[in-house]
Amino acid sequence: MTKTSSYTDITTLAERLRDVPYEPILRTIGRVAAREGIEAYAVGGMVRDVLLGRSTRDLDFVTVGPDTGLALAEAVGKELGGQTAHVYPKFGTAAIRVSREEAGRDRPLVLEFVTARKESYRADSRKPEVEAGTLEDDQHRRDFTVNAMAIHLTPDRFGALIDPFDGRRDLERQTIDTPLDPEATFEDDPLRMIRGARFATQLEFRVSDRVFDAMGTQAHRVEIMSQERITEELHKILEADTPSIGFKILEASGVLEHFMPEIQRLKGVDVVNGRDHKDNFYHTLEVLDNVADRTADRPGRATRWLRWAALLHDVAKPKTKRFDDEAGWTFHGHEDVGARMIPDLFRKWRLPTDERMDYVQTLVRLHLRPIALGNEKVTDSAVRRLLYEAGDDVDDLMTLVRSDVTSNNPDRRRRYQRAFDRVEEKMRVVEEKDRLRNFEPPVDGYEIMETLGIEEGVAVGVAKTWIREAVLDGEISNEHDAAYDYLMAIKDEALRRGALFEAMQDRLEGAENRALGAIKEVVFEDPDLPDDRSAALAYLDAVKTEALTDKEESNAA
C-alpha cells in the first residue's frame, strides 16, 4: 500500500540532471539499455541527492528481468571503453568503477547494477528470502521514501521521476519516513532503524512520528543484527556535520541501549542533598559536535577516530561516579578507567584493534592532562611528559580538550580557551628546545647492551626507562652524550635490579608467576628497594605475597 497516489505520478528531472557532471554516463546507460532491450532505472540515493543538489559517490541502477543487471553491467562496461564489470552472481549484482576523468568530477564513481527483486524475512532472521520482481516490487522493499524514487533512463523518457511513495514531498518536509508500515519495515530489517537515524543525521532531517514510535516498538530487534553492519552505520553518523542528531534519535527511541549500553549509561542526572551533576550523555554529544565543527575543513572520514575518541572520552564516568559531602559529585580517574575499557569496546563493536585503537585510547587517557597544564606555575617537565605521551597525536588531543569545554557560562569558556592557548605556547617552546615529539631515548637498548655487556632483559629496561625519565624531568638534556654519561652513573644499580628480578623469577612457581608484574614494577620504580641483596629479596618476596593476596580477594569479589 503506497502512502500517496501513485505510480503514474511522474515529474521530469531532465533539467536538474543537466547540472550533474555524470549526466553523460546516465544517458549512455540509457542508450545501452534500450539497445539491449533491458528495462533500466536509476534509483535510490542518487535520485534523492539530485533533488537535494548534493554530491553523489555511488550510482545505483535497477533492471527488470532475471540476470538483466549483470548483462547490462557488462554491456555498459564495453561501451565505456572496456571498463571491467565486477560481477557477483551470488548476489545478482555487478559494479563498474569509473575514473575521475571519465566521471567528470574530482573523485571516481561506482556504478552498481542489480536486478529488481522483492524480499521477505522470517521473524528470527536478518537474511531475506529473495526472488525476482518488478520495479514496483523493488521500490516497495526500499527502506525510506526518500530512497525509493527512481528515474527513467531510456532516451525517450530520460529524467522522468517515478515516485510512488511521495519521497519528493518528504524531501521538502525534511522528513524520514518509510514506504510501508514502519513496524513491518523494521521487523523485516532492524538495521533500518539505525539507517533512519543515519539519514536523519546526514541530511539533517527529522524522523516522522510513526517511524519514531515504530523504532521504540521494534528496538529490541537490533540485537539480531551483525555488529559489522551496525558499526558501518555508526561510522557514517559520526562522520556527519552534526553527529549528535543520530545519537539523540537512537537514544530517545530506545534503540541505543540495545547495542551501545555503555553510551546509554551516560544519560541521566543524580541529585544528592540538592547537588547534581551535568548529564554526561548530552555533554558527550556536545563535545562530539564541537569536534566536528572544529575539524569542518577536513572530510569527516579523515577525523573518524578523533570523533570516536570524543564519543568515548567520558565513557567511564558511570563507573567512577561518587558523591562526596564536601566536593559533591566526582568522577576521579575516569580517564584512566575509560582508556582501559577501550580494547574491550573496540572488540565488541568490531572496530580495529591496531594503531587506530591505540590512538583513541591515548586521547581518552590524556584528555584531562592539558587542563592541569594551564596553570602558569606548571613545570616544563609536565609539558615534556604530555608531548612524549601524546606524540604526533598532540594536536588532535588539543582539539578534543578544547571541544570538551561545554559550559553555558561564556566567561568560563573563554578562561579555559585562554588556558589552552598558554598550554599550546608552552608545548611549542618546550618542543622547540627539547625535540620531544615521538621521543626515543638518545641511548637506545642496543647501545645499553653493548656498553654493559649484557643481553636483553630487565636491566636494559631499567636503564632505558631511567634515562627517559631523566630527560623528561629535565635532569639531563635530550642529547646522546648527556644520556650516555647518565647511563654510566646508573649502570650498577640497573644491573643490580635486573639480577634481583631474575632471582625472584627463578623462585616463583606455578600460580606465583601472577605476581611478576607487581615485582617488576617495584624493580623499575621503587626508590626504597633495600641495598642489601638479602633484604631486597625479602622485600620483593613481601611484594609477591601482597600481590597474590590482592588477586585472590579480587577473584573472590
Side-chain angles (χ1 to χ4, degrees):
M1 181 176 180
T2 59
K3 281 177 55 187
T4 62
S5 69
S6 121
Y7 200 58
T8 58
D9 213 356
I10 298 175
T11 306
T12 183
L13 279 178
E15 292 289 332
R16 188 72 64 91
L17 285 169
R18 289 196 190 106
D19 295 331
V20 300
Y22 47 82
E23 188 215 17
I25 292 176
L26 299 180
R27 289 192 178 274
T28 295
I29 294 171
R31 286 195 304 271
V32 173
R35 187 184 70 209
E36 299 292 324
I38 296 173
E39 185 182 344
Y41 307 87
V43 296
M46 188 218 80
V47 182
R48 177 198 70 221
D49 290 340
V50 167
L51 287 167
L52 290 174
R54 298 173 80 239
S55 63
T56 298
R57 181 181 302 175
D58 302 326
L59 307 185
D60 295 331
F61 304 94
V62 163
T63 63
V64 179
D67 299 324
T68 53
L70 309 185
L72 180 59
E74 290 177 339
V76 168
K78 291 177 183 177
E79 188 75 13
L80 292 177
Q83 291 277 2
T84 301
H86 301 279
V87 176
Y88 309 97
K90 179 179 178 181
F91 302 102
T93 64
I96 299 172
R97 182 180 175 85
V98 181
S99 69
R100 290 181 299 174
E101 294 75 20
E102 292 171 302
R105 45 184 277 141
D106 60 353
R107 57 186 177 182
L109 274 176
V110 176
L111 315 179
E112 185 164 321
F113 300 81
V114 63
T115 301
R117 62 187 191 269
K118 54 184 176 181
E119 299 175 345
S120 59
Y121 289 77
R122 298 188 304 274
D124 60 345
S125 174
R126 58 176 178 261
K127 295 182 179 179
E129 295 179 355
V130 179
E131 57 184 294
T134 64
L135 173 65
E136 187 172 10
D137 289 328
D138 199 85
Q139 288 178 296
H140 271 77
R141 74 177 182 82
R142 298 276 163 176
D143 49 9
F144 302 105
T145 61
V146 297
N147 296 332
M149 295 177 284
I151 57 173
H152 280 280
L153 293 178
T154 51
D156 60 335
R157 303 199 69 191
F158 183 82
L161 176 66
I162 305 167
D163 184 13
F165 304 108
D166 239 352
R168 190 167 192 174
R169 185 187 69 172
D170 283 340
L171 287 180
E172 292 168 355
R173 297 190 308 174
Q174 298 187 326
T175 300
I176 301 297
D177 206 345
T178 54
L180 307 177
D181 174 63
E183 286 207 24
T185 296
F186 298 151
E187 185 170 359
D188 280 351
D189 186 356
L191 187 71
R192 288 170 174 166
M193 290 183 278
I194 303 176
R195 284 172 58 83
R198 188 254 286 186
F199 284 119
T201 308
Q202 290 178 321
L203 302 175
E204 299 197 356
F205 282 13
R206 62 180 289 272
V207 296
S208 71
D209 291 343
R210 71 183 197 136
V211 163
F212 182 82
D213 291 343
M215 288 173 71
T217 303
Q218 298 293 328
H220 65 282
R221 291 277 293 159
V222 299
E223 294 179 10
I224 72 167
M225 299 307 304
S226 73
Q227 184 59 51
E228 288 82 0
R229 293 183 71 198
I230 291 174
T231 297
E232 186 57 36
E233 296 300 322
L234 291 176
H235 285 322
K236 293 174 182 177
I237 292 173
L238 283 166
E239 292 163 18
D241 292 342
T242 311
S244 65
I245 294 171
F247 286 100
K248 287 177 181 177
I249 292 170
L250 291 169
E251 190 284 322
S253 62
V255 175
L256 186 68
E257 64 182 299
H258 289 281
F259 67 92
M260 261 188 161
E262 298 83 2
I263 303 301
Q264 176 70 45
R265 289 186 198 115
L266 290 166
K267 189 171 186 289
V269 177
D270 292 324
V271 181
V272 173
N273 298 335
R275 303 170 75 176
D276 60 9
H277 58 82
K278 63 188 171 187
D279 189 304
N280 287 305
F281 176 75
Y282 292 111
H283 164 72
T284 291
L285 297 186
E286 192 171 352
V287 174
L288 181 56
D289 284 349
N290 287 345
V291 165
D293 185 58
R294 286 180 177 276
T295 59
D297 59 331
R298 299 155 64 187
R301 188 177 182 85
T303 58
R304 172 184 289 183
W305 303 107
L306 175 56
R307 295 175 186 224
W308 272 104
L311 182 67
L312 296 173
H313 79 286
D314 280 347
V315 71
K317 278 193 170 179
K319 287 187 174 185
T320 58
K321 181 166 60 178
R322 303 287 185 274
F323 182 79
D324 181 85
D325 289 333
E326 292 185 6
W329 291 101
T330 66
F331 304 91
H332 293 315
H334 74 271
E335 68 280 14
D336 291 321
V337 176
R340 290 196 295 272
M341 291 171 65
I342 297 301
D344 285 342
L345 293 177
F346 267 52
R347 283 189 285 270
K348 175 183 176 182
W349 295 332
R350 300 296 191 271
L351 293 167
T353 54
D354 54 17
E355 69 278 358
R356 290 165 288 187
M357 182 189 77
D358 296 339
Y359 165 90
V360 172
Q361 197 170 22
T362 295
L363 265 56
V364 171
R365 180 170 52 83
L366 298 179
H367 80 270
L368 293 184
R369 193 80 65 82
I371 295 174
L373 299 186
N375 189 314
E376 294 181 2
K377 296 180 180 178
V378 167
T379 64
D380 285 357
S381 173
V383 178
R384 287 190 199 97
R385 289 187 179 281
L386 181 61
L387 284 168
Y388 164 68
E389 293 184 51
D392 276 343
D393 302 330
V394 70
D395 295 330
D396 284 353
L397 174 64
M398 293 308 299
T399 298
L400 175 59
V401 298
R402 285 185 182 275
S403 301
D404 200 14
V405 180
T406 61
S407 171
N408 291 324
N409 184 325
D411 290 334
R412 184 179 176 86
R413 290 199 304 271
R414 280 193 292 271
R415 283 199 304 273
Y416 270 110
Q417 298 301 341
R418 284 197 296 267
F420 294 144
D421 289 341
R422 292 195 297 272
V423 170
E424 290 192 324
E425 176 60 19
K426 287 179 183 177
M427 289 195 297
R428 185 192 66 77
V429 171
V430 170
E431 169 68 16
E432 190 175 278
K433 180 177 64 174
D434 294 336
R435 307 180 311 281
L436 282 164
R437 193 170 298 203
N438 292 321
F439 166 76
E440 286 292 335
V443 172
D444 63 22
Y446 293 107
E447 187 172 0
I448 291 170
M449 287 188 281
E450 184 178 324
T451 300
L452 303 187
I454 58 175
E455 295 182 354
E456 186 174 356
V458 167
V460 176
V462 169
K464 190 175 179 180
T465 299
W466 287 8
I467 291 170
R468 181 195 71 203
E469 294 300 301
V471 172
L472 295 178
D473 285 338
E475 294 179 30
I476 61 174
S477 61
N478 186 20
E479 296 173 346
H480 176 271
D481 289 351
Y484 186 84
D485 290 344
Y486 189 77
L487 169 63
M488 300 312 292
I490 64 168
K491 65 180 179 63
D492 292 339
E493 181 63 9
L495 291 169
R496 183 181 83 89
R497 288 182 177 240
L500 287 170
F501 180 82
E502 290 174 3
M504 287 299 299
Q505 196 172 24
D506 289 341
R507 290 186 179 190
L508 300 182
E509 296 180 356
E512 290 182 330
N513 282 289
R514 292 180 299 170
L516 266 178
I519 294 169
K520 189 173 185 178
E521 183 177 344
V522 169
V523 167
F524 270 73
E525 300 177 8
D526 194 336
D528 298 324
L529 186 63
D531 293 333
D532 179 75
R533 178 179 172 82
S534 296
L537 289 172
Y539 187 88
L540 293 173
D541 200 56
V543 169
K544 175 201 74 175
T545 301
E546 183 179 359
L548 293 175
T549 300
D550 289 345
K551 287 184 182 295
E552 288 175 3
E553 291 176 352
S554 176
N555 291 337

